[in-house]
Amino acid sequence: MVQVDNNQIWFGGIEAGGTKFNCVVANQHAEIQASATFMTDVPDNTLVQVTQFFANEQKKRGPLSALGIASFGPIELDTGAPYYGHILSTPKASWSYTNLVGFFSDALGVPIAIETDVNGSALGEAAYGAARGLDNFVYVTVGTGIGAGVISHGQLVRGAHHPELGHMLIPQDKHDSFAGCCPFHGNCLEGLASGPAMKQRWNAAADAISDGHAAWKLEAHYLALMCVNITNLYAPQRIILGGGVMNRAALFPLIRTGFLNLMNGYGPDQILQKPHEYIVPPGIAGGKSGVMGSLLLAKSAFEPTGTPLRL
């Protein structure tokens, strides 16, 4: 049994995805001491399981000092808005207008910081992964949905709302007759290239489709289009592609080749001559970018500075 130490600082982290909630407890050095995963069921089931995990860990170790949440969205991130900390209208059934911050604040009674799951992953990659030392980059997750965390001049990009890159409209391949699976836009990027889109179009989950299948050429085409748009809109130093669909390593060469063809020689030489250093997988192993980002958020809640979290 772990000895309770009331002088130890413990941070809780939640990476809340459309498929599963990854939960961790770590010390102030972001060294994970306990972890658990819960399926993203209806809110009443999932949130109670998550709360019980943290309650059990507090009995073993002592109280949490703060909690960081990196969640699927869209999320209201304006602390002055009536729905701050809520998931807003989302394709994930039954989760629209779930009050994450309110629920965990009541349940755990600790300071909480919340961001989108992709912003959390971007923060994790900046501190520990493929974006260390960079001030401008974009982290994209391709999985249950498609989303992006955009870092510009060391800060998360946010205006009236956080970017919703997955819902950009892209030209649909003329040989692709799939109507798209986005309930809001049909054939937007997410509707054409997310994990559910692949499953509906090909009648098989992405991880069950063989490397040589035509699915991957089409998927790479749509993600190459996305990378061109990201490059021309945000001018990042690097694009990091994570998420379940990107676990297929064969995708990266296809995306880079498609990207170069679509750019057609337009762009800086450091990108066009070294696409393998520009479009890359996450640097944090095991899909833990979001978890590590959630711990950075917890630290920011524990040590508030009054300014946005900066790299």
Side-chain angles (χ1 to χ4, degrees), residues 181-244:
C181 69
C182 176
F184 297 100
H185 311 115
N187 63 347
C188 62
L189 175 64
E190 181 171 294
L192 291 173
S194 63
M198 292 191 73
K199 185 172 183 179
Q200 290 183 34
R201 183 192 284 108
W202 304 107
N203 296 313
D207 59 6
I209 300 174
S210 62
D211 280 351
H213 195 283
W216 297 112
K217 183 178 180 181
L218 182 63
E219 180 72 5
H221 172 66
Y222 288 137
L223 296 180
L225 283 167
M226 174 194 73
C227 288
V228 169
N229 288 335
I230 290 173
T231 299
N232 291 332
L233 285 170
Y234 296 114
Q237 295 164 283
R238 184 164 294 155
I239 299 173
I240 303 169
L241 303 182

Side-chain angles (χ1 to χ4, degrees), residues 48-136:
V48 168
Q49 292 179 79
V50 171
T51 302
Q52 190 61 53
F53 164 74
F54 286 118
N56 290 340
E57 289 302 316
Q58 289 187 110
K59 289 178 183 178
K60 296 177 186 177
R61 304 173 190 281
L64 292 179
S65 296
L67 176 69
I69 305 173
S71 174
F72 71 92
I75 300 172
E76 180 55 74
L77 299 176
D78 182 352
T79 56
Y83 284 101
Y84 167 69
H86 289 63
I87 296 174
L88 302 177
S89 294
T90 177
K92 187 66 179 176
S94 76
W95 282 85
S96 292
Y97 294 95
T98 297
N99 185 358
L100 293 179
V101 168
F103 181 92
F104 287 113
S105 180
D106 290 343
L108 300 175
V110 297
I112 296 173
I114 189 169
E115 267 295 348
T116 64
D117 51 353
V118 286
N119 280 352
S121 293
L123 293 172
E125 285 295 313
Y128 307 109
R132 281 179 293 183
L134 301 182
D135 286 332
N136 301 277

Side-chain angles (χ1 to χ4, degrees), residues 3 31 36 60 63 77 101 107 137 144 164 183 186 195 211 237 239 276 280 290:
Q3 182 67 40
E31 296 167 337
K60 296 177 186 177
L77 299 176
V101 168
F137 69 92
T144 304
E164 283 287 358
D211 280 351
Q237 295 164 283
I239 299 173
H276 60 286
V280 303

